[in-house]
Amino acid sequence: MKITAETVSHVARLARLAMPPEDLRQLAPQLSDILEYAEQLQQVQLDGVEPTSHPFHEVNVLRDDVVRPSLPRDLALANAPEAEAGQVRVPAVLEGGGGA
């Protein structure tokens, strides 16, 4: 599928993206190449290939939870602009301005 600068401009307009004309001209052949590659992938014969969600058979590979020394609370709060009850106090960002 051949993508033109006009097509890129149309899609950019739909996505409400402002793009200079030189970007449109540069992006058109790149998008065409991507779509051509996708078309090639459509031709791959996958009969008998099981779908996979992950290439490895390992499940929940996590390290053990080990308690380790950490930064003391007072030291962690030392650089906070404001602290209250052992926590960093931040300005309200939701309407109402009240706490929880």
Side-chain angles (χ1 to χ4, degrees):
M1 179 174 193
K2 183 77 170 160
I3 301 292
T4 64
E6 291 77 24
T7 304
V8 176
S9 175
H10 177 71
V11 173
R13 194 171 34 260
L14 291 174
R16 295 191 172 23
L17 297 173
M19 295 185 76
E22 60 273 5
D23 288 354
L24 296 174
R25 286 189 296 274
Q26 180 181 6
L27 196 54
Q30 293 174 353
L31 290 173
S32 289
D33 290 344
I34 291 169
L35 290 178
E36 285 177 28
Y37 185 68
E39 287 176 8
Q40 288 177 17
L41 290 177
Q42 292 295 324
Q43 305 305 317
V44 174
Q45 199 56 254
L46 296 175
D47 295 338
V49 176
E50 292 284 330
T52 58
S53 62
H54 199 277
F56 305 109
H57 297 291
E58 299 171 357
V59 179
N60 293 333
V61 181
L62 303 172
R63 64 174 168 77
D64 290 335
D65 231 357
V66 178
V67 177
R68 298 184 297 185
S70 61
L71 195 60
R73 182 180 294 177
D74 294 340
L75 191 55
L77 294 173
N79 289 324
E82 192 174 344
E84 181 179 301
Q87 300 175 9
V88 175
R89 181 171 172 81
V90 297
V93 294
L94 303 175
E95 289 184 25

